[in-house]
Amino acid sequence: MATLPDMLHAEIQRCRRVAGDCASLGSTGAFANALLEQALRDAEAALRQRDSAGIQQALERLRRYREVLPEAPARTISASTPVRRAMPQRTPLTPYWAAPREQFFTWKRAA
């Protein structure tokens, strides 16, 4: 049976491979890589301090990261293909005179 620090060492090695895969994605994986590097630093700090609660938290945090699928087929997009962006939904403009306004006085004849 493996001890908690041994399991954390194995998880750190796995997450280092995942971080390398994220870094290879370029700007797409930069955010995931930054989050993963911070989690790895926290895990190593917990190992240095020999804090069992910190090791357990770091282990649970690192287990949440999944591998990048290198065998997934990459979609190639030719340079002549236009990039389609969704148009933002606009609300129809109402003219000033049609907008609801507060009434400050009433039309009554003096008696």
Side-chain angles (χ1 to χ4, degrees):
M1 187 166 116
T3 62
L4 201 58
D6 292 338
M7 290 191 304
L8 185 58
H9 278 295
E11 200 65 29
I12 286 173
Q13 294 305 317
R14 184 190 69 83
C15 285
R16 288 209 186 280
R17 288 190 301 273
V18 173
D21 292 343
C22 288
S24 68
L25 293 175
S27 62
T28 305
F31 184 69
N33 188 24
L35 290 175
L36 191 52
E37 289 295 329
Q38 180 62 42
L40 288 170
R41 283 192 295 270
D42 293 343
E44 290 169 352
L47 280 175
R48 278 193 306 270
Q49 296 172 357
R50 299 182 189 270
D51 178 25
S52 62
I55 291 174
Q56 181 67 33
Q57 288 175 351
L59 185 61
E60 290 172 4
R61 185 176 175 192
L62 289 179
R63 283 183 177 164
R64 291 185 207 142
Y65 289 98
R66 301 288 178 229
E67 287 81 11
V68 178
L69 301 174
E71 63 271 357
R75 282 188 4 194
T76 58
I77 298 174
S78 66
S80 63
T81 304
V83 176
R84 296 181 184 173
R85 292 187 171 87
M87 295 297 292
Q89 295 294 328
R90 296 185 183 212
T91 57
L93 297 176
T94 56
Y96 175 74
W97 52 267
R101 289 175 278 172
E102 185 177 349
Q103 184 174 350
F104 291 101
F105 52 88
T106 58
W107 297 96
K108 288 188 178 180
R109 289 184 177 236

Short mmCIF file of all heavy atoms in Angstrom, two decimals, residues 18 23 32 107:
data_model
loop_
_atom_site.label_atom_id
_atom_site.label_comp_id
_atom_site.label_asym_id
_atom_site.label_seq_id
_atom_site.Cartn_x
_atom_site.Cartn_y
_atom_site.Cartn_z
N VAL A 18 0.90 16.53 -17.93
CA VAL A 18 -0.28 17.28 -18.38
C VAL A 18 0.08 18.75 -18.60
O VAL A 18 -0.37 19.36 -19.58
CB VAL A 18 -1.44 17.14 -17.37
CG1 VAL A 18 -2.60 18.04 -17.72
CG2 VAL A 18 -1.90 15.70 -17.29
N ALA A 23 1.17 23.32 -22.18
CA ALA A 23 2.10 24.32 -22.68
C ALA A 23 2.30 24.18 -24.19
O ALA A 23 2.54 25.17 -24.88
CB ALA A 23 3.43 24.21 -21.96
N ALA A 32 -4.65 27.15 -18.40
CA ALA A 32 -4.65 25.86 -17.71
C ALA A 32 -3.27 25.53 -17.18
O ALA A 32 -3.12 25.01 -16.07
CB ALA A 32 -5.14 24.76 -18.64
N TRP A 107 -54.20 66.56 -15.59
CA TRP A 107 -54.95 67.54 -16.35
C TRP A 107 -56.37 67.63 -15.77
O TRP A 107 -57.24 66.89 -16.12
CB TRP A 107 -55.03 67.13 -17.82
CG TRP A 107 -53.69 67.09 -18.49
CD1 TRP A 107 -52.90 66.02 -18.67
CD2 TRP A 107 -53.02 68.19 -19.03
NE1 TRP A 107 -51.76 66.35 -19.28
CE2 TRP A 107 -51.80 67.72 -19.54
CE3 TRP A 107 -53.28 69.55 -19.15
CZ2 TRP A 107 -50.87 68.52 -20.15
CZ3 TRP A 107 -52.37 70.36 -19.77
CH2 TRP A 107 -51.16 69.85 -20.26
#
